[in-house]
Amino acid sequence: MMFTCTSQVSITPNNDTLICLPIKVAKEIIIDLEEGKACEKENHVLENNILLLEKSIQYKDTLISSYQEKEIIYKTQIQTYQQVDSLQIKQLQEKEDEIERHIKEKKLGLGGVVLLILGILML
């Protein structure tokens, strides 16, 4: 703030300078100084808040990164389980085919025995 006023200057015996100002100007200077101190305190509080917010953002970024890594691991596990599942289904189908083949062989083997017995009986 700019003040236009007249003042008187005098020097004291111990070399201090005294400046005489009108009371209104002196009050405005004091108010400005107090507001400046309040602004400095508010600025300090805001800077601390910014630091806390930055730490919070950093923590959240770490969490996001961790969850993204977990997602990749889970997707890999799902693919592995799907491959295992396909192999088990394939093995199960092969075993079912093998069982059917054995059943047919037994039926043919039993049928051959029956034919042999019938052939022997017919003789």
Side-chain angles (χ1 to χ4, degrees):
M1 179 180 264
M2 183 179 264
F3 299 105
T4 54
C5 67
T6 58
S7 64
Q8 295 177 353
V9 177
S10 65
I11 298 178
T12 62
N14 60 359
N15 289 334
D16 283 342
T17 303
L18 293 176
I19 301 174
C20 297
L21 299 171
I23 292 176
K24 181 179 178 185
V25 173
K27 285 181 181 180
E28 288 178 1
I29 291 172
I30 292 171
I31 290 171
D32 284 346
L33 288 172
E34 288 174 352
E35 286 177 355
K37 288 179 184 178
C39 288
E40 285 177 1
K41 287 180 182 179
E42 183 180 0
N43 188 39
H44 181 71
V45 169
L46 291 173
E47 286 175 351
N48 285 339
N49 285 345
I50 289 170
L51 290 175
L52 289 173
L53 288 171
E54 286 174 347
K55 286 180 183 179
S56 175
I57 289 170
Q58 184 179 15
Y59 175 73
K60 288 179 181 179
D61 286 346
T62 302
L63 281 176
I64 289 170
S65 176
S66 173
Y67 287 131
Q68 287 172 337
E69 289 174 7
K70 284 182 179 183
E71 180 183 21
I72 291 169
I73 291 170
Y74 292 150
K75 285 182 177 181
T76 304
Q77 285 179 337
I78 288 171
Q79 288 175 348
T80 303
Y81 290 140
Q82 287 173 337
Q83 290 172 352
V84 168
D85 191 45
S86 320
L87 287 173
Q88 288 177 340
I89 290 172
K90 183 178 177 183
Q91 288 175 347
L92 182 63
Q93 186 62 44
E94 288 173 356
K95 290 297 178 183
E96 287 175 352
D97 292 345
E98 187 178 330
I99 290 170
E100 278 186 42
R101 196 173 61 250
H102 283 288
I103 291 172
K104 287 179 183 177
E105 287 174 0
K106 282 188 176 184
K107 285 182 181 177
L108 287 176
L110 186 60
V113 170
V114 170
L115 285 176
L116 179 63
I117 293 175
L118 285 176
I120 293 175
L121 290 174
M122 292 185 128
L123 287 173

